[in-house]
Amino acid sequence: MKTKGKISALLPLAVFLIVYAGTSIIAKDFYAVSVIVPFLISAIVALSMNKKRKFEDKLQDFCKGAGNPNVILMILIFVLAGAFAQVAKAMGAVDSTVNFGLSILPTSILVPGVFIIASFIALSVGTSMGTIVALVPIAVGISEKTGIAVAIVVGAVVSGAMFGDNLSMISDTTIAATRTQGCEMKDKFKMNFKIVLPAAIVTAIIFMILTKGTAIQTLGEYEYSFIKILPYIAVLISALVGINVIFILIGGIVFAGAIGLLYGSFDIIGLFTNISAGIQGMSELIIISLLIAGTIELIKNNGGIEYILNKGMKNFKSKRGAELGIATLVSLVDICTANNTIAIVTVGPIAKDISDEFELEPRRVAGIMDMFSCVFQGLIPYGAQLISASGLAMISPFAIIKYSVYPYLMGICALVSIYLYWRKRSE
C-alpha cells in the first residue's frame, strides 16, 4: 500500500528557495551570492531532519544519492564539455563562426540572419551566455550602421542563443535533462527539434517583418577560417549519428586542440591551460549537482517524493497532466533560481519519479524540462542572459524582452505539442 508521504520532507527545498531569494533581494542581484551556499544550507537541513535515524546512516544516504552512476556520468560530461568549449573558443572557433555567418548573409535578411547565426553558435558551443557575449557587441554595431532599433537586433541574438542552448548536444541543460531521465541525447534532440522548429521559422519571419524596408549598407569584410569551424560541425554530426557523447567530446577536444596548435593559437602548455580553465568553469555546476543529488535522496527517503507523487495523482490524473505538472515545476524553479541548468538538475530526480509513476517517455520528459526552463530563462529580466545582453547593449532588459520572440513561441509550441500528443492517444 502506498503512503501519502510527508510535506515536511520538502523543507530543504523550501529553505533553499527562501535563502536564495532572500539574499538576492537583499543584494538586489541574483548573482551576488553563489547558489552553492543556499544549496549547502539546504543539504545541512536535510541531514538534520528525521531524528529517528542515525546521522551516519543519513550521511550514507546522502553519499549514495551524490554517487549515483547517472550523476557521476553527468559530471564527467560536464568536465569534457567545459574543456571542449574553452579549447574551441581559444582556438578561434567562435570568432570564425560569427564572421563566416556575417560574410555570407544577404543584407536584406540581416536581422533574421543574426538570429540564425546565434542559433548555430549556441548549438555548437552549448552556451547561451557565450553566444550573447560574442554577438551582442556585433548586434550593437549593426544597429548603429543600419538604424534598426538595438533592442530588435539584441532580441534576435537572445532568441538564437536560447534556441541553441535548448538543443545543443553539449549544453548543460541537455546533459542534465538526458542524464536525469536516462535517455539518449540524440533521441531528445530529434523529438525536441520537431517541436521547436516551427517556433524558429516563425521567429525568423517576424524579425524579417520588423526590419522590412530598412535601408542597409554594406557592413564591411569579416575574416574567418572555415577549418576553425569544423570541430563544431564534427561534434554536431557525430552526436546526431549516435556516437557515445564521451567519445564525441574527447574527439572534439583533440580536433580543436590540433587546429589550435597548427594555427599557433596556443602552444601545448596553452592547450592544457585552456582545458584546465574549461573544467574549472564547470566546478560550481559539479558541486551543485552533487549537493542536489544527495539532498534529493534524503528528501526521497523522508517521504517528500511520495508526497509530490501523491499530490500529482490527485491534481494531474492523466499523462498529459503529469507532463504539464513537470513543465510547471521546472518553470517555477527556474524563475526562482534564474538558472535553467540548476532548475533541471533540481527538478530532474523528482520528474523521473513522476515519469516512472505515469509511464512517460524519458525523452519527452527531458525535452519538456529543457524547453520550459529555457523559455523562462530567456524572459526573466534578472537572468544572466538578459542582464549581460542589456549591459553590453546599454539598454533596459525589458526593452529586450519585448523582442525576445523565440522564447515566447517555444513556450507556445511546447504547450501545443503536449496537448496534441496526448489528444491522439487514449490516456
Side-chain angles (χ1 to χ4, degrees), residues 239-304:
L240 289 174
V241 168
I243 297 174
N244 186 288
V245 66
I246 301 296
F247 292 134
I248 291 173
L249 291 171
I250 291 174
I253 294 168
V254 172
F255 192 9
I259 293 174
L261 291 171
L262 180 65
Y263 278 75
S265 301
F266 40 66
D267 55 18
I268 190 67
I269 301 301
L271 172 60
F272 288 177
T273 299
N274 279 293
I275 290 174
S276 176
I279 294 171
Q280 289 178 30
M282 290 289 187
S283 60
E284 183 176 68
L285 187 55
I286 291 169
I287 295 170
I288 289 168
S289 298
L290 292 171
L291 288 174
I292 290 174
T295 302
I296 291 295
E297 183 69 20
L298 291 173
I299 290 173
K300 183 177 182 179
N301 291 342
N302 290 337

Side-chain angles (χ1 to χ4, degrees), residues 70-377:
N70 282 329
V71 175
I72 299 303
L73 179 57
M74 179 173 68
I75 288 172
L76 177 59
I77 295 172
F78 281 152
V79 167
L80 294 173
F84 168 70
Q86 180 60 36
V87 170
K89 180 181 179 181
M91 175 266 285
V94 174
D95 291 338
S96 282
T97 302
V98 171
N99 291 345
F100 173 71
L102 291 174
S103 297
I104 64 173
L105 276 178
T107 55
S108 59
I109 57 167
L110 189 57
V111 176
V114 168
F115 165 69
I116 294 170
I117 292 173
S119 298
F120 178 76
I121 292 176
L123 194 63
S124 302
V125 304
T127 167
S128 53
M129 282 299 298
T131 303
I132 289 169
V133 171
L135 280 182
V136 168
I138 294 174
V140 173
I142 290 173
S143 173
E144 292 173 350
K145 291 183 178 182
T146 62
I148 298 172
V150 66
I152 294 178
V153 193
V154 174
V157 172
V158 173
S159 292
M162 299 317 299
F163 172 87
D165 192 8
N166 170 230
L167 289 175
S168 175
M169 297 291 185
I170 61 171
S171 166
D172 300 346
T173 58
T174 295
I175 294 169
T178 54
R179 287 300 95 201
T180 57
Q181 302 310 305
C183 64
E184 295 294 326
M185 291 186 183
K186 64 173 183 176
D187 295 332
K188 180 260 186 189
F189 175 89
K190 292 174 182 177
M191 184 279 299
N192 213 159
F193 184 74
K194 291 177 182 178
I195 294 172
V196 302
L197 181 59
I201 293 172
V202 175
T203 296
I205 293 172
I206 289 175
F207 281 123
M208 190 179 299
I209 294 171
L210 287 173
T211 56
K212 185 179 180 181
T214 304
I216 298 176
Q217 56 186 306
T218 302
L219 297 177
E221 297 295 326
Y222 291 92
E223 295 183 2
Y224 64 88
S225 172
F226 187 74
I227 194 171
K228 292 186 177 182
I229 306 174
L230 291 180
Y232 289 155
I233 297 174
V235 165
L236 289 174
I237 293 175
S238 299
L240 289 174
V241 168
I243 297 174
N244 186 288
V245 66
I246 301 296
F247 292 134
I248 291 173
L249 291 171
I250 291 174
I253 294 168
V254 172
F255 192 9
I259 293 174
L261 291 171
L262 180 65
Y263 278 75
S265 301
F266 40 66
D267 55 18
I268 190 67
I269 301 301
L271 172 60
F272 288 177
T273 299
N274 279 293
I275 290 174
S276 176
I279 294 171
Q280 289 178 30
M282 290 289 187
S283 60
E284 183 176 68
L285 187 55
I286 291 169
I287 295 170
I288 289 168
S289 298
L290 292 171
L291 288 174
I292 290 174
T295 302
I296 291 295
E297 183 69 20
L298 291 173
I299 290 173
K300 183 177 182 179
N301 291 342
N302 290 337
I305 304 301
E306 286 180 282
Y307 177 81
I308 291 173
L309 291 174
N310 180 259
K311 296 297 289 184
M313 293 286 282
K314 288 182 178 179
N315 299 314
F316 304 110
K317 298 181 180 180
S318 65
K319 293 183 177 182
R320 178 194 291 160
E323 289 190 348
L324 290 172
I326 292 169
T328 301
L329 190 58
V330 77
S331 299
L332 290 174
V333 175
D334 183 73
I335 291 170
C336 291
T337 62
N339 189 306
N340 48 345
T341 304
I342 291 174
I344 292 172
V345 172
T346 304
V347 174
I350 299 172
K352 178 61 177 172
D353 285 305
I354 295 174
S355 174
D356 291 342
E357 185 75 22
F358 284 88
E359 298 181 344
L360 303 176
E361 291 183 52
R363 63 173 185 168
R364 282 188 58 80
V365 176
I368 286 169
M369 288 198 300
D370 205 340
M371 284 186 288
F372 281 95
S373 66
C374 284
V375 165
F376 287 94
Q377 191 63 30

Side-chain angles (χ1 to χ4, degrees), residues 27-48:
K28 298 180 180 179
D29 181 1
F30 272 75
Y31 300 92
V33 177
S34 171
V35 75
I36 291 177
V37 178
F39 271 124
L40 177 60
I41 294 172
S42 175
I44 293 171
V45 170
L47 286 167
S48 67

